[in-house]
């Protein structure tokens, strides 16, 4: 097969890339081995150091190779080298340059590269700051990198009769992975075009969400690596001080990544919410929760010496869960339980190995050292901060376990059906309800603990004083919380006692942390980052009640979350006809118009808020839009538009369109099913059809039909119709038109959507008004330059002669002698310039006719008499006073296509959720910065 | 008494409690026969391609009707109380959540498994051969 020498391929790109992969893999292994040796010979300083340097240098080469590979792949994508299968699958000519990064990490290979990239960036800082922990910490990095590179290695290992494929190489040629007849053509590259980026992913969220999320994922290796190093070196104190800022950074980055995904879902996708307990979402949330639990016991451990085992356990587990979630989202095991996962690539076994290896390495090491990890002999005091922080972390762990078990159901099914092929897979009937039900209590505990624990001291110092404080504060805050919950219940609904408890707990968290911030702000401002994060959590909890539990659809009335109405009665979506306002929830909603911008069609929806006396108090427009497939063949997705207020959001999304607007195929089906009947109608006569009285007013040769104006037509014709709609009692005009260009006819029908009537002009109309040349009666005129003649009420003046004339029907050839006659025509309320052309080609005279569609004048430049300097013209006119009837083709029962199906939902106080979660992240990152400055001092 | 022992005990109890109560949330996919017993179920099946599909957005934007063949090969009418999902015809497998009422399955939710649009596609040939 390779005996064809293909044209236009850039093989060096792939060769360089492949070389980088191989060398990158080998150097990662070498680095891991060297760092291993360095750690093993820790006591022999010189030997350890030389191994460490080797590890460091080989890791540097590894990093260089990965960056080379990324550059090479990016270069190939930028230049559309479709001979590479990854390029072919992810970019296309039409793809705007701004989405090339999104296309890069759309696929599994690209996102693995992104992950490795962040490891490499982070490693630069880790090597600089980790001191004596460098070797064992970087050992973990190098092992992880080696396995990640193996995901894109793309080598085949013979295994019995089959071969096992290790990884999927992004530099593979298209013709190596596909067998298609096209590759028999040496010049196949000129025949193919790329598939391009999925239109759903063509937005800026896809540009920012993955890098941040992967920075978060990548950074979770640092706590793991430090914990592993601590266990390995049997050093359980120093690394705790060194690594706290890393963990805070990691939780901040991962949290921001998750939050961006949630924002993306809410702001730009048609999900109509910010969290759906989808397995892919859960998979990134669980490591974050465990990491946050880890941070709490980490702080306990630094300050009191307790909870050491927990620190190790949480940090090891957090990274293991990152790997586990990678396995879940990338192996295809989630199947139909998730709305969004990567396409499967057959990496399942390799991913399982990745999870297993780090689980065994991490937890094995923990078990090995378990006995040596001792707590202080005395148990924590009951009223001490360390005890309740430990309890908080335990609750977070409990939450993570619950989510993980539920999310892992597909894996449980897979294992069970392996042992018992008849096993019927289990599913959670109502996932959102299931998760909310249990996580509600976690949120209650966390809110309350975060409020109280801040007022306790490590080692229960000053307990007598603190007790007095607490005895006052807790009852007061609790009372205030109940009061606030009650006050808020006047405008939002708490549907069950559980939600009352949750609301009260949320307010308690907010109030007590606010109090802490104001109380301690002056003296211990450095500690306020924790209170800030806890305050955010409380706000977020309240936000979920207001915006989740109390969301309501504008379209109809019901509150949807609770089943007050039977589920089927909840009509979430509403049909909105263009120009017909709908009144609901105090808003007058009108679909005004639509407009196309690049591949997106925007639907302008006007909202008018009315007060009790039906006066407009506010008006605004929203533009939900639909996105077309790359080739415009159909609508591939809908994106929402949202009006943001301080206190609420109004979310709109078009969810469906008339079938004929959804795809070309449907449009054709609809068009084919339409039956037209021909009617003859005399000017100023009327006809009745479907409750419409139609009168033919006039025939015009300058069509004003909107669609007509969008095309270039050589000539056209339009009939002006006055229509009276007897059903709606409305009067209006219609302008059906017909045009032609290069002998092709184009119809521009007019429609009355409510009556389901469409009117187009019969093609006979054109023949009637535009006479073929041979049926014209030309009249001859001869004049000199500047003179004029009269014809049928028009004055024709020869104003000049043009030696290089241009005319659509004349193409200049060498040796032509051509002359254009510039004629200005006036009369009958019109003025027009025409330029017929006289040509002598190879001694043969020719005349190129000029024609004015609006007046129907045909004019030929027929002769030149050089002696008298006289010029002859032939003039004729279309027979437009033919009178008689207007020919109309009319179809009835046309499905209307002037509406959208809209979802409009109010999310009350959704900003509480966003502000709360952002505060949490600010708290974490502030804490990280604070800690970094302290550690580096 | 040792406090960590009490904590572990409470947590394990809580865990068992949650596990027992949560096991009610979980069930296997049902078929139409089981759905006849009433209650909300999830049914997995395929679109009956030879049967009619109706979506009349003009009059009933919230109702999409089609026929589903369950794993026992029983065919029944399904009314999905949502607009017609995109690429519905392309689905290989459908999971609907809802209740069977008067021999019609009223579904409130749908999940479809579609062949990846961007995977098994033929290599697209440019419309016009370039290189002129």
């Amino acid at each position: 097969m390779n005996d064809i020498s293909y044209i236009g391929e850039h093989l060096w790109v792939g060769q360089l890339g492949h070389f980088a992969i191989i060398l990158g893999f080998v150097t990662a292994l070498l680095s891991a081995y060297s760092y291993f040796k360095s750690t093993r010979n820790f006591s022999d300083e010189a030997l350890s150091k030389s191994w460490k340097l080797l590890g460091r240098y080989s890791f540097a080469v590894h990093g260089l190779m990965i960056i080379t590979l990324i550059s090479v792949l990016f270069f190939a994508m930028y230049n559309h080298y479709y001979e590479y299968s990854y390029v072919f699958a992810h970019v296309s000519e039409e793809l705007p340059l701004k989405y090339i990064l999104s296309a890069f990490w759309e696929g599994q290979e690209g996102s693995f590269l992104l992950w490795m990239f962040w490891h490499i960036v982070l490693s630069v800082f880790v090597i600089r700051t980790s001191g004596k922990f460098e070797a064992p910490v970087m050992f973990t990095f190098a092992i992880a990198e080696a396995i990640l590179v193996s995901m894109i290695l793309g080598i085949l290992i013979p295994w019995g009769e089959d071969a096992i494929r290790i990884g999927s190489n992004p530099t593979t040629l298209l013709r190596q992975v596909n067998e298609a007849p096209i590759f028999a053509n040496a010049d196949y590259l000129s025949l193919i075009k790329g598939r391009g980026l999925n239109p759903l992913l063509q937005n800026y969220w896809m540009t920012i969400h993955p890098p941040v999320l992967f920075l978060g994922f990548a950074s979770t290796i640092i706590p793991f690596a430090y914990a592993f190093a601590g266990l390995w070196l049997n050093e359980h104190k120093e690394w705790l001080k060194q690594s706290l800022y890393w963990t805070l950074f990691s939780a901040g980055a991962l949290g921001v990544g998750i939050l961006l995904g949630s924002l993306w879902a809410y702001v730009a996708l048609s999900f109509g919410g910010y969290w759906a307990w989808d397995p892919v979402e859960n998979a990134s949330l669980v490591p974050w929760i465990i990491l946050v639990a880890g941070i709490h016991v980490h702080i306990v451990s630094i300050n009191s010496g307790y909870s050491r085992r927990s620190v190790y356990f949480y940090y090891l587990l957090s990274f293991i869960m990152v790997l586990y979630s990678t396995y879940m989202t990338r192996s295809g095991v989630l199947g139909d339980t998730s709305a969004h996962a990567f396409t499967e690539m057959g990496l399942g076994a390799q991913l399982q190995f990745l999870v297993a290896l780090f689980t065994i390495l991490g937890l094995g090491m923990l078990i090995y050292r378990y006995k040596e990890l001792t707590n202080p002999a005395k148990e924590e005091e009951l009223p001490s901060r360390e005890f309740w922080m430990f309890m908080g972390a335990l609750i977070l762990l409990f939450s993570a376990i619950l989510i993980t078990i539920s999310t892992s159901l597909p894996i449980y099914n897979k294992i069970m059906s392996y042992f018992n092929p008849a096993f019927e897979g289990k599913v959670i009937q109502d996932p959102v309800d299931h998760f909310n039900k249990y996580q509600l209590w976690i949120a209650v505990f966390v809110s309350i603990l975060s409020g109280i624990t801040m007022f306790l001291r490590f080692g229960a110092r000053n307990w007598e004083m603190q007790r007095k404080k607490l005895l006052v504060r807790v009852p007061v805050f609790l009372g205030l919380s109940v009061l606030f919950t009650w006050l808020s219940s006047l405008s939002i609904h708490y549907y069950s006692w559980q939600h009352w408890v949750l609301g009260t707990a949320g307010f308690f968290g907010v109030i007590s942390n606010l109090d802490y911030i104001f109380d301690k702000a002056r003296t211990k401002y450095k500690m306020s980052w924790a209170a800030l994060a806890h305050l955010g959590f409380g706000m977020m909890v309240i936000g979920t009640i207001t915006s989740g539990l109390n969301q309501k659809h504008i379209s109809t009335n019901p509150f949807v979350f609770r089943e007050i109405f039977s589920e089927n009665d909840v009509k979430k979506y509403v049909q909105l006809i263009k120009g017909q306002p709908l009144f609901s929830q105090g808003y007058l909603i009108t679909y005004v118009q639509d407009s196309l911008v690049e591949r997106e069609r925007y639907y302008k929806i006007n909202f008018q808020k009315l007060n009790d006396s039906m006066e407009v108090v506010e008006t605004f427009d929203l533009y939900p839009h639909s996105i077309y497939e790359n080739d415009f063949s159909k609508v591939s997705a809908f994106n929402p538009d949202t009006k943001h207020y301080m206190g609420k959001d109004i979310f709109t999304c078009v969810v469906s369109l008339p079938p004929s607007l959804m795809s070309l195929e449907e449009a054709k089906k609809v068009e084919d099913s339409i039956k037209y009947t021909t009617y003859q109608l005399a000017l100023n006569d009327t006809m009745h059809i479907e409750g419409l009285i139609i009168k033919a007013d006039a025939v015009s040769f300058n069509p004003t039909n909107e669609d007509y104006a969008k095309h270039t037509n050589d000539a056209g014709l339009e009939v002006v119709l006055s229509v009276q709609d007897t059903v709606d009692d409305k009067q209006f005009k219609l302008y059906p038109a017909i045009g032609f260009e290069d002998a092709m006819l184009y119809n521009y029908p007019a429609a009355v959507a409510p009556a389901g009537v469409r009117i187009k002009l019969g093609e006979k109309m054109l023949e009637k008004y535009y006479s073929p040349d041979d049926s014209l009666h030309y009249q001859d005129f001869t004049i000199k330059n500047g003179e004029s003649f009269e014809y049928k009420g028009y004055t024709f003046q020869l104003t000049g002669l043009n030696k290089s004339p241009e005319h659509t029907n004349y193409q200049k050839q060498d040796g032509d002698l051509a002359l254009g006659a510039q004629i200005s025509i006036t009369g009958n309320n019109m003025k027009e310039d025409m330029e017929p052309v006289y040509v002598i080609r190879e001694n043969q005279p020719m005349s190129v006719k000029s024609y004015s569609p609006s007046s129907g004048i045909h004019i030929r430049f027929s002769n030149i008499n050089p002696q008298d300097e006289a010029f002859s013209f032939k003039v004729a006119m279309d027979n437009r006073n033919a009178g008689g009837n207007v020919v109309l083709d009319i179809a009835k029962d046309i499905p209307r296509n002037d509406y959208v199906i809209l979802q409009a939902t109010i999310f009350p106080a959704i900003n509480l959720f966003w502000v709360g979660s952002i505060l949490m992240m600010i708290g974490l990152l502030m804490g990280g910065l604070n800690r970094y400055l302290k550690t580096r001092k | 008494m040792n406090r960590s022992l009490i904590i572990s005990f409470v947590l394990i109890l809580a865990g068992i409690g949650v596990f027992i109560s949560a096991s009610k949330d979980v069930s296997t996919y049902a078929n139409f026969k089981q759905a006849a017993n009433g209650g909300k179920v999830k049914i997995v099946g395929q679109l009956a391609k030879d049967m009619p599909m109706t979506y009349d957005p003009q009059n009933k934007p919230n109702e999409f009707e089609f026929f589903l063949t369950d794993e026992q090969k029983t065919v029944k009418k399904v009314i999905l109380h949502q607009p017609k999902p995109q690429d519905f015809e392309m689905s290989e497998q459908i999971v609907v959540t809802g209740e069977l009422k008067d021999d019609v399955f009223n579904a409130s939710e749908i999940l479809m498994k579609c062949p990846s649009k961007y995977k098994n596609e033929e290599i697209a040939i440019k419309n016009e051969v370039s290189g002129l």
Side-chain angles (χ1 to χ4, degrees):
Chain A
M1 181 172 164
N2 283 335
D3 46 6
I4 306 173
S5 64
Y6 292 101
I7 299 167
E9 289 185 338
H10 309 79
L11 294 179
W12 66 269
V13 173
Q15 283 154 359
L16 180 58
H18 200 206
F19 169 76
I21 293 174
I22 304 282
L23 189 58
F25 182 62
V26 172
T27 45
L29 284 178
L30 177 64
S31 170
Y33 181 74
S34 311
Y35 275 130
F36 175 78
K37 288 299 270 187
S38 168
T39 315
R40 292 289 289 181
N41 296 295
F42 208 65
S43 46
D44 185 344
E45 215 166 281
L47 184 62
S48 177
K49 193 178 177 204
S50 57
W51 275 116
K52 184 165 84 177
L53 285 180
L54 182 58
R56 199 186 283 175
Y57 293 138
S58 40
F59 197 84
V61 176
H62 161 80
L64 206 63
M65 286 303 108
I66 295 305
I67 286 162
T68 307
L69 176 61
I70 291 172
S71 319
V72 157
L73 196 56
F74 192 78
F75 178 79
M77 292 181 95
Y78 183 83
N79 289 308
H80 299 206
Y81 289 168
Y82 295 135
E83 59 268 39
Y84 294 101
S85 119
Y86 196 79
V87 178
F88 172 78
H90 299 286
V91 295
S92 66
E93 303 293 334
E94 297 88 18
L95 187 73
L97 203 59
K98 59 186 172 184
Y99 296 133
I100 206 142
L101 279 174
S102 311
F104 182 85
W105 47 63
E106 184 199 17
Q108 289 222 26
E109 297 91 332
S111 61
F112 273 126
L113 280 170
L114 181 60
W115 192 350
M116 288 186 255
F117 173 76
W118 284 125
H119 273 170
I120 288 156
V121 172
L122 290 169
S123 74
V124 175
F125 297 98
V126 167
I127 289 173
R128 290 171 64 116
T129 57
S130 54
K132 72 171 186 181
F133 291 102
E134 179 190 334
V137 165
M138 285 306 296
F139 166 74
T140 310
F141 265 80
I143 288 277
E145 281 292 286
I147 298 179
L148 287 179
V149 181
S150 81
M151 301 288 171
I152 54 166
L153 205 53
I155 54 169
L156 292 166
I157 295 173
W159 186 275
E161 293 187 1
D162 300 322
I164 295 178
R165 194 176 61 124
I166 305 285
S168 162
N169 184 338
T171 63
T172 314
L173 291 172
L174 185 61
R175 58 183 161 85
Q176 288 169 333
V177 288
N178 281 290
E179 274 190 38
I182 193 168
F183 299 119
N185 185 342
D187 195 22
Y188 75 96
L189 271 181
S190 64
L191 299 172
I192 60 173
K193 57 175 183 179
R195 276 183 207 150
L197 182 63
N198 183 339
L200 260 176
L201 302 178
Q202 292 188 24
N203 55 55
Y204 59 92
W205 293 99
M206 183 63 187
T207 315
I208 57 172
H209 167 61
V212 179
L213 188 69
F214 274 97
L215 174 60
F217 276 149
S219 63
T220 58
I221 200 177
I222 302 176
F224 179 98
Y226 264 107
F228 187 73
L231 290 171
W232 195 353
L233 298 182
N234 217 357
E235 275 267 4
H236 310 295
K237 250 185 145 165
E238 208 184 322
W239 74 267
L240 287 171
K241 294 216 166 113
Q242 215 182 78
S243 66
L244 183 57
Y245 64 85
W246 275 120
T247 329
L248 287 162
F249 166 77
S250 180
L254 185 55
V256 171
I258 295 171
L259 213 54
L260 282 173
S262 160
L263 253 172
W264 178 7
Y266 174 65
V267 176
L269 295 175
S270 54
F271 295 5
Y274 43 82
W275 196 262
W277 295 108
D278 187 280
V280 171
E281 298 167 1
N282 296 348
S284 54
L285 179 66
V286 165
W288 184 80
I289 293 179
I290 299 175
L291 202 57
V292 170
I295 290 172
H296 284 83
V297 285
H298 193 156
I299 294 167
V300 167
S301 201
I302 289 179
N303 287 288
S304 70
Y306 290 100
S307 297
R308 258 186 213 150
R309 288 169 181 169
S310 313
V311 183
Y312 283 113
F313 179 68
Y314 289 137
Y315 283 169
L316 295 173
L317 188 64
S318 166
F319 182 61
I320 292 170
M321 290 314 289
V322 164
L323 300 178
Y324 180 67
S325 77
T326 305
Y327 164 67
M328 284 217 286
T329 50
R330 287 172 187 257
S331 68
V333 69
L334 290 176
D336 50 17
T337 60
S338 169
H340 43 141
F342 277 97
T343 43
E344 196 189 329
M345 285 192 45
L347 293 177
Q350 244 174 300
L351 289 162
Q352 282 168 2
F353 172 75
L354 175 66
V355 181
L357 179 77
F358 278 89
T359 310
I360 292 166
L361 266 183
L363 297 185
M365 196 61 135
L366 181 60
I367 292 165
Y368 177 67
R369 293 275 187 224
Y370 196 75
K371 286 257 157 66
E372 289 167 73
L373 296 168
T374 49
N375 274 333
K378 193 167 157 284
E379 243 183 5
E380 302 104 312
E381 299 279 342
L382 195 60
S384 71
R385 186 183 264 184
E386 57 266 33
F387 174 66
W388 291 103
M389 280 177 82
F390 171 79
M391 286 304 291
L394 214 52
I395 284 165
L396 290 177
L397 177 69
F398 198 69
S399 157
I401 291 173
L402 289 186
I403 299 172
T404 306
I405 290 177
S406 302
T407 312
S408 303
L409 210 54
I411 294 172
Y412 168 78
N413 288 339
K414 201 178 172 179
I415 295 169
M416 290 305 282
S417 58
Y418 179 77
F419 292 111
N420 173 15
F423 178 80
E424 279 188 81
K426 298 253 197 291
V427 280
I428 299 170
Q429 285 293 349
D430 195 341
V432 173
D433 207 43
H434 164 83
F435 284 106
N436 282 341
K437 189 164 60 183
Y438 298 110
Q439 297 302 321
L440 182 146
W441 292 108
I442 305 285
V444 168
F445 284 125
V446 170
S447 303
I448 291 177
L449 278 183
S450 74
I452 297 178
T453 311
M454 295 296 281
F455 288 98
L456 300 173
R457 295 280 174 87
F458 285 114
R461 278 196 309 276
N462 262 343
W463 170 232
E464 278 313 308
M465 215 180 93
Q466 296 294 330
R467 194 167 71 118
K468 276 179 207 148
K469 264 192 188 173
L470 275 174
L471 277 180
V472 178
R473 279 171 207 238
V474 173
V476 170
F477 291 167
L478 212 55
L480 278 176
S481 309
V482 174
L483 180 70
F484 279 124
T485 315
W486 177 75
L487 280 176
S488 67
S489 76
L490 299 178
S491 58
I492 59 169
H493 293 254
Y494 292 86
Y495 291 95
S496 66
W497 66 271
Q498 289 96 329
H499 289 114
W500 273 95
V501 175
L502 181 65
T504 310
F507 277 111
F508 184 80
V510 170
I511 297 168
S512 46
N513 279 294
L514 270 179
D515 175 71
Y516 182 89
I517 292 171
F518 285 117
D519 194 36
K520 302 280 168 172
R522 269 153 290 167
T523 50
K524 289 179 86 178
Y525 71 96
K526 277 182 183 162
M527 274 305 288
S528 58
W529 62 267
L532 201 63
H534 292 151
L535 169 69
F537 184 79
M539 285 175 75
M540 197 187 85
V541 165
I542 301 169
T544 56
I545 296 177
T546 58
S547 62
L549 201 60
N550 283 278
Q551 56 176 270
K552 57 187 174 210
H553 297 303
I554 292 186
S555 21
T556 48
N557 194 6
F559 289 80
V560 281
F561 218 74
R562 306 297 303 176
E563 285 151 4
I564 305 175
F565 294 79
S566 107
E567 209 168 354
N568 294 343
D569 290 338
V570 178
K571 307 280 189 261
K572 213 167 149 180
Y573 312 103
V574 68
Q575 180 198 27
L576 211 53
I577 295 168
K578 198 182 267 185
Q580 285 188 17
L582 176 98
F583 182 74
S584 173
Q585 300 278 314
Y587 288 95
L588 203 58
I589 310 165
T590 318
Y591 164 31
V592 185
Q593 63 181 51
D594 61 276
S595 50
L596 188 70
V597 181
E598 285 173 12
R599 264 185 325 100
E600 295 174 6
R601 189 175 289 282
Y602 287 80
Y603 304 90
K604 178 174 175 180
I605 312 287
N606 177 262
F607 282 76
Q608 289 186 314
K609 192 173 172 57
L610 305 181
N611 61 13
D612 290 338
S613 45
M614 288 298 167
E615 287 155 350
V616 180
V617 286
E618 191 199 353
T619 177
F620 59 90
D621 295 324
L622 286 176
Y623 297 87
H625 44 287
S626 60
I627 305 170
Y628 287 97
E629 202 66 27
N630 290 336
D631 59 0
F632 276 94
S633 64
K634 63 177 182 184
V635 172
S636 67
F638 293 105
N639 283 355
D641 192 20
T642 305
K643 171 84 177 169
H644 302 280
Y645 292 93
M646 280 293 279
K648 66 170 182 243
D649 274 9
I650 295 176
F651 169 94
T652 58
C653 188
V654 171
V655 289
S656 192
L657 291 169
S660 60
L661 298 184
M662 286 297 285
S663 74
L664 285 178
E665 201 183 325
E666 284 292 329
K668 197 175 173 316
K669 247 189 244 171
V670 171
E671 193 58 43
D672 288 348
S673 70
I674 293 175
K675 301 262 180 303
Y676 285 97
T677 316
T678 304
Y679 296 85
Q680 305 256 352
L681 184 65
L683 280 180
N684 295 319
D685 255 4
T686 55
M687 61 179 287
H688 294 248
I689 191 163
E690 297 284 303
L692 303 176
I693 302 172
I694 299 170
K695 175 167 157 281
D697 283 351
V699 176
S700 153
F701 298 93
N702 285 315
T704 51
N705 183 299
E706 277 179 34
D707 297 320
Y708 179 90
K710 286 179 196 156
H711 290 80
T712 51
N713 289 285
D714 289 340
L717 184 66
E718 178 176 86
V719 173
V720 183
L721 300 171
S722 288
V723 181
Q724 188 180 357
D725 187 334
T726 57
V727 181
D728 289 348
D729 197 26
K730 270 195 265 183
Q731 292 202 350
F732 48 91
K733 300 235 180 213
L734 289 180
Y735 305 92
I738 193 166
F740 61 85
E741 185 190 355
D742 290 343
M744 289 284 283
L745 274 180
Y746 296 92
N747 239 307
Y748 306 98
V752 186
V757 165
R758 192 189 291 180
I759 303 171
K760 62 181 190 183
L761 291 191
E763 289 176 7
K764 285 196 178 118
M765 291 284 290
L766 264 191
E767 288 172 27
K768 204 155 152 187
Y769 288 93
Y770 290 98
S771 316
D773 202 60
D774 51 13
S775 69
L776 291 171
H777 302 287
Y778 280 102
Q779 214 172 320
D780 289 302
F781 298 92
T782 303
I783 48 170
K784 291 185 175 169
N785 196 0
E787 290 180 348
S788 59
F789 62 86
E790 303 275 328
Y791 176 72
K792 292 199 174 171
Y794 292 95
T795 306
F796 294 72
Q797 190 185 19
L798 178 59
T799 55
L801 293 157
N802 180 3
K803 285 187 179 154
S804 48
E806 282 176 15
H807 192 290
T808 44
N809 292 342
Y810 168 61
Q811 279 190 328
K812 193 173 160 48
Q813 284 185 11
D814 283 346
D816 277 1
L817 286 173
L819 195 65
Q822 291 162 334
I823 294 174
S824 147
I825 303 164
T826 47
N828 293 347
N829 296 324
M830 68 152 265
K831 186 176 184 337
E832 199 174 336
D833 293 320
M834 292 173 78
E835 193 178 317
V837 180
Y838 185 79
V839 187
I840 297 173
R841 179 176 291 170
E842 290 165 4
N843 299 324
Q844 290 290 319
M846 306 192 313
S847 86
V848 182
K849 178 169 96 172
S850 186
Y851 173 64
S852 147
S854 55
S855 59
I857 293 168
H858 301 251
I859 182 160
R860 283 176 182 281
F861 190 177
S862 56
N863 202 3
I864 300 175
N865 190 338
Q867 277 132 12
D868 316 349
E869 291 184 6
F871 307 95
S872 297
F873 299 96
K874 282 176 181 297
V875 185
M877 202 143 178
D878 287 332
N879 183 14
R880 289 193 174 171
N881 298 325
N885 298 334
V886 169
V887 185
L888 301 176
D889 290 339
I890 302 183
K892 296 186 281 190
D893 301 325
I894 304 282
R896 59 191 307 164
N897 58 5
D898 59 337
Y899 63 89
V900 293
I901 306 296
L902 190 79
Q903 175 192 355
T905 307
I906 299 178
F907 289 96
I910 194 171
N911 281 341
L912 273 178
F913 175 84
W914 296 123
V915 172
S917 33
I918 291 166
L919 278 184
M920 268 205 286
M921 300 313 145
I922 292 177
L924 284 168
L925 294 171
M926 246 177 68
L929 185 68
N930 185 14
R931 189 71 208 177
Y932 174 76
L933 296 174
K934 202 169 161 188
T935 312
R936 304 302 297 163
K937 222 185 269 174
Chain B
M1 201 175 151
N2 192 331
R3 200 187 301 138
S4 49
L5 213 65
I6 302 173
I7 294 166
S8 331
F9 191 65
V10 168
L11 276 181
I12 289 168
L13 269 188
I16 293 172
V18 169
F19 193 81
I20 291 169
S21 94
S23 58
K24 284 204 299 280
D25 296 353
V26 172
S27 72
T28 54
Y29 285 124
N31 52 41
F32 283 126
K33 208 172 145 194
Q34 291 158 329
N37 299 331
K40 197 170 159 190
V41 289
K42 270 189 159 69
I43 290 186
V44 63
Q46 271 126 31
L47 173 67
K49 294 209 166 144
D50 47 346
M51 301 291 273
M53 256 187 284
T54 0
Y55 182 52
D56 177 12
Q58 196 165 331
N59 300 312
K60 292 179 182 167
N62 287 302
E63 276 179 35
F64 169 50
E65 295 180 15
F66 61 97
F67 287 83
L68 186 80
T69 315
D70 73 1
E71 305 222 296
Q72 259 70 44
K73 303 290 165 222
T74 316
V75 181
K76 277 207 195 320
K77 183 166 164 182
V78 176
I79 299 178
L80 173 69
H81 293 263
Q82 275 179 24
K84 181 181 170 189
Q86 262 149 344
D87 294 327
F88 184 76
E89 292 84 351
M90 284 166 68
S91 66
E92 287 170 339
Q93 196 189 55
I94 297 172
V95 181
V96 279
T97 312
E99 282 175 60
L100 194 70
K101 224 186 262 171
D102 303 328
D103 216 35
V104 173
F105 192 82
N106 283 269
S108 56
E109 265 172 57
I110 191 163
L111 256 178
M112 302 180 307
K113 200 172 172 185
C114 289
S116 171
K117 261 185 269 184
Y118 291 84
K119 223 177 159 200
N120 301 320
E121 212 177 25
E122 285 292 306
I123 292 167
I125 307 290
K126 276 185 191 167
N127 291 332
E128 299 123 343
V129 178
S130 61
L132 292 173

